[in-house]
Every structure is written in C-alpha cells, then in structure tokens.
Amino acid sequence: MQVRELRVPGALELTPRQHGDARGAFLEWFTEASFEEAVGHRLNLAQANASVSAAGVLRGIHFAEVPPSQAKYVTCVKGAVLDVVVDIRVGSPTYGQWDTVLLDDVDRRVIYLPEGLGHAFMSLEDGSTVVYLCSAPYAPGREHGVHPLDPAIGIEWPTTGRDGSPLTPQLSPKDAEAPTLDEARQQGILPGYDEVQAFLATLDA
C-alpha cells in the first residue's frame, strides 16, 4: 500500500497493490496493519456506507461535530469520482484549503479523512459507486454541511465526465441550502482545530 499525505494535514491518499490476470484482479483495499502504520491508531469501524451516483452528482461538503465526528476511509468500486477533503477546522494553519483524489475502478485509490475535516465528491460517470468505512454511526443531529460551490473555498470541480461529456453539478436540496464556509463559522458549527487535535490525541494514546 502506497501512502501519500494530502495538502490538508491528516488526510491521506492510499494506493493498494493490485494482482491481476486474465480473470480480473484482486486487491486489499483495507488492512488493519497498513492503516495503523499510516495513521498511528486503529480504525474504529462503526458503520459501512455505499452510495450510487449519476454523472454530475455532487455530494457534500459534509462533516460531523467533534467529538466524536466521523473519520472516513473511502474508495470507488465502480465508475469514477473526484473526491475532495476540505480543512474546516477553525484555527488550523490550513483552514479553508482543500485537496483532491481521483477515486476510480482503475487505480482503486482510497482517501482517508480523519475526524474534523469536510468531505465531498462529484461523480464523473453514471452509476459511480462509492463505499465508506466510518468510525462513528450517522447521527442526524450532529451532521452539518458547507456549500460545495462556495467561491471562497474555490474547489475546482470537473466540467467534463469520464467520457468527455459535459457535467452539470447536481446537488440535493439540503446541500444546495448549506451555508458558505464563512456563514458556517459565524453560526459556530465548524469544529475548532484545538478540539480536533485533543480528540485525535485520545485515539493515538
């Protein structure tokens, strides 16, 4: 498993080794040992999710309150998505910055987002299927969002799909009504950098 740290500290891109032949391919997209070596603690697996999206569907930017928030270990088993991590931790040296990883059914990369970060992705092909391992269960009262098209964040979303056809962002009503990053900060719903670091320290102990 090759590991690369993203521009948002704590977030990682992981590329598994694939073993292929005329029948297809086999890979280990998660192992406890390689995860713990890369991150420094075990993944507390509490829930596994899957989403299927048409081309252009844009999900996010989603995050959960800390503690316990929700760490995510994400890959795309069919199709392709541009996956984005956003630093929404107030007081972070990289606050407001973002980075991307192409998740697809060719390289089969994985992105790991620790607690306290924002997560979003855009589907680049009909039927793109994303699976997530999550460290905490979904808790509606603790889940929040930031508008993925907030110009102050400036995420460079794709304008063409995997087949070269034009993409139009498709947002859920909830995501379309989400506050900008500045509005979310004023509302006091963003996690603080220090509280996130304190929580992560309990995982490393």
Side-chain angles (χ1 to χ4, degrees), residues 43-62:
L43 177 66
N44 178 34
L45 178 58
Q47 185 168 314
N49 301 332
S51 66
V52 181
S53 303
V57 167
L58 178 50
R59 301 181 187 269
I61 303 166
H62 299 151

Side-chain angles (χ1 to χ4, degrees), residues 84 106 128 133:
V84 180
V106 177
S128 293
L133 303 181

Side-chain angles (χ1 to χ4, degrees), residues 18 25 27 75-81 102-109 125-129 162:
Q18 299 189 57
L27 66 146
T75 194
C76 180
V77 296
K78 178 180 181 293
V81 303
L102 176 65
L103 304 180
D104 62 19
D105 51 15
V106 177
D107 295 314
R108 304 189 187 278
R109 297 185 185 93
E125 179 178 281
D126 286 342
S128 293
T129 304
R162 202 179 195 186

Side-chain angles (χ1 to χ4, degrees), residues 3 10 24 39 48 58 74 79 87-88 95-96 99 102 107-108 117 122 136 149 196 200-201 204:
V3 180
V39 177
L58 178 50
V74 186
D87 193 343
I88 57 170
Y95 175 75
D99 204 352
L102 176 65
D107 295 314
R108 304 189 187 278
L117 298 180
M122 175 181 275
L149 303 179
V196 172
L200 294 178
D204 295 337

